[in-house]
Amino acid sequence: MKRGFGIIILFFLFTIPLTLLVSGQSKYPFDYEQLSEDERLVIRFSHVVGEDTPKGMAARKFAELLKERSNGYIEVQVFSNGTLYKDGEEMNALSRGDVQVIAPAISKLTEYVPEISVYDLPYAFHSLEEVHTFTEGVAGQKLTERLREFNLYALGIWDSGFKQMSNRLRPIQKLEDLKNLSMRIMPSDILAEQFSILGAYPKEYDFNAVFHELQKGSFDGQENTLTNITSKNFYSLQDYLTISNHGYLGYFVLFNLDFWNSLDEDVKQLITDTYLEVQEWEWELTEKLNENTLQEIEQCQCIELHHLSDEDKILWEEKFEPLYDYYIEKYGDELIKELPKFKSKT
């Protein structure tokens, strides 16, 4: 291993491979939990959403499984709700090595790889399965390779789901209802254009500031997934919610690349295998939690709810077509061609 363990620990490492220790096949299992923090492999994982969201629950499961499977040698310390670093601070903390893993919304990565905003295009995906296929295909590989240029290693993608729109002034039933509304967005030129072409006013705020700014009346509404809207209690400050499913929200799980490269191969393999198992679990969990959350909102009658019809969605999708031209003009059509909605036509 890369870290000093003392004479006794080195003996075990040279005589008993980690793969045997974690699989339980060793005749002499060693309890690494007895070691100090400096002697274990400590991985600090910071994220900004609630613990009961898909990302929050997956981060905890990832930590629990790695601790169990490494007999306590790998300790993932999870800091949720922006308690360690706020929304706008995480990337710098990862770059400095103050944390080793974060899971930012993909929109936050447009500062580094602008063309990653392909994920923000409205109605680019019609199911989470389409997102996963795109990410695991040629387009996703190209984007994650670009992230390496910024010392970022993408282990995979976690879902939050599809975004809905809420606001405090009027029901959003037609596209015209968005006119003159101020809407909070994440940092993405595509998201800014999305609202601008409808006559709305996009305003960029960090996620951890949204509730406070809604209280102040800094903007009228916002877009987010149902689990984020409820876990942060945004709906208590909004009067109208439209189930539009107009855009995908997900997270790349990112390691500091230098830190990742410093790990032994057996440790990398254990982390990767465990992550992939958690990723499958998280994908299923996301769909269930968003379905359950919608039912709870419908039952509580605490916000006026509107569902876009299939006809409405077609109209919305047509209205957003200029955004695809805008994207192509700035970043080319290489990634656009890989979107399921266009690939199925070729």
Side-chain angles (χ1 to χ4, degrees):
M1 297 298 165
K2 301 293 185 185
R3 300 176 178 231
F5 288 79
I7 296 175
I8 296 176
I9 309 306
L10 285 172
F11 171 78
F12 275 97
L13 289 176
F14 282 115
T15 57
I16 306 173
L18 179 60
T19 51
L20 293 181
L21 287 171
V22 299
S23 65
Q25 297 174 13
S26 170
K27 190 175 181 180
Y28 306 100
F30 187 84
D31 183 6
Y32 287 100
E33 291 191 73
Q34 303 304 315
L35 300 176
S36 69
E37 184 172 299
D38 290 337
E39 294 170 312
R40 283 177 278 126
L41 177 60
V42 176
I43 299 173
R44 292 177 175 82
F45 188 161
S46 174
H47 70 81
V48 300
V49 301
E51 291 188 352
D52 294 330
T53 60
K55 178 165 67 171
M57 296 172 72
R60 293 204 310 274
K61 188 175 185 69
F62 184 52
E64 291 165 3
L65 288 179
L66 278 177
K67 183 176 182 179
E68 174 188 327
R69 293 172 181 180
S70 67
N71 289 342
Y73 170 63
I74 301 175
E75 180 185 352
V76 179
Q77 299 176 348
V78 179
F79 301 89
S80 61
N81 279 306
T83 53
L84 189 60
Y85 291 102
K86 301 299 182 185
D87 202 13
E89 303 170 341
E90 284 189 322
M91 292 300 298
N92 287 335
L94 185 68
S95 178
R96 293 192 305 267
D98 294 341
V99 294
Q100 289 70 49
V101 190
I102 62 174
I106 296 174
S107 302
K108 306 292 175 58
L109 301 175
T110 57
E111 177 183 347
Y112 301 88
V113 182
E115 58 267 37
I116 211 168
S117 60
V118 67
Y119 282 94
D120 290 330
L121 286 165
Y123 297 106
F125 307 99
H126 295 96
S127 71
L128 296 178
E129 289 76 17
E130 287 187 352
V131 177
H132 306 156
T133 300
F134 178 81
T135 304
E136 293 172 347
V138 174
Q141 291 174 12
K142 289 178 179 177
L143 290 169
T144 53
E145 281 299 314
R146 285 290 317 278
L147 289 171
R148 284 175 175 263
E149 299 172 18
F150 301 93
N151 200 35
L152 301 171
Y153 174 68
L155 201 55
I157 190 171
W158 284 348
D159 297 327
S160 183
F162 286 99
K163 293 181 287 186
Q164 324 302 340
M165 292 187 187
S166 69
N167 85 101
R168 59 180 177 156
L169 296 183
R170 56 179 174 267
I172 300 174
Q173 301 182 29
K174 299 179 181 179
L175 287 164
E176 300 80 49
D177 295 327
L178 280 158
K179 189 173 183 180
N180 295 325
L181 291 182
S182 55
M183 301 290 288
R184 178 263 174 179
I185 63 167
M186 292 182 287
S188 165
D189 61 335
I190 294 297
L191 296 181
E193 285 294 315
Q194 169 186 275
F195 286 111
S196 293
I197 66 173
L198 300 177
Y201 303 105
K203 292 190 173 184
E204 187 179 314
Y205 288 95
D206 287 344
F207 181 69
N208 296 110
V210 172
F211 185 86
H212 179 63
E213 296 299 331
L214 280 173
Q215 282 184 314
K216 290 169 54 179
S218 301
F219 47 89
D220 301 316
Q222 56 86 51
E223 58 170 9
N224 222 308
T225 58
L226 291 175
T227 52
N228 282 344
I229 289 172
T230 55
S231 68
K232 290 295 187 179
N233 208 25
F234 297 159
Y235 70 97
S236 68
L237 302 173
Q238 304 272 264
D239 296 314
Y240 307 100
L241 176 65
T242 297
I243 305 302
S244 53
N245 293 313
H246 64 280
Y248 171 74
L249 175 57
Y251 315 99
F252 274 131
V253 180
L254 301 176
F255 270 82
N256 176 294
L257 182 58
D258 288 339
F259 173 80
W260 179 260
N261 288 336
S262 74
L263 300 175
D264 285 336
E265 290 304 317
D266 54 351
V267 173
K268 289 181 185 178
Q269 191 63 53
L270 176 60
I271 292 173
T272 300
D273 291 345
T274 302
Y275 170 79
L276 290 175
E277 180 181 327
V278 173
Q279 179 173 261
E280 289 285 343
W281 178 84
E282 196 272 349
W283 290 351
E284 294 179 8
L285 176 69
T286 296
E287 296 208 65
K288 291 178 182 176
L289 283 182
N290 278 303
E291 289 173 3
N292 292 341
T293 301
L294 179 57
Q295 291 177 4
E296 291 171 4
I297 291 174
E298 289 173 335
Q299 292 170 3
C300 79
Q301 298 183 340
C302 46
I303 188 170
E304 185 174 319
L305 196 60
H306 177 73
H307 291 263
L308 290 187
S309 66
D310 290 339
E311 292 77 14
D312 290 332
K313 290 177 183 177
I314 292 172
L315 292 175
W316 281 48
E317 193 163 352
E318 290 174 350
K319 183 67 175 181
F320 286 129
E321 283 180 4
L323 273 176
Y324 289 79
D325 296 328
Y326 171 86
Y327 181 94
I328 291 170
E329 287 175 9
K330 296 194 70 173
Y331 310 120
D333 64 355
E334 183 180 17
L335 298 176
I336 290 282
K337 289 178 179 178
E338 296 297 321
L339 287 172
K341 63 187 292 181
F342 296 116
K343 204 167 183 179
S344 62
K345 297 178 182 178
T346 59

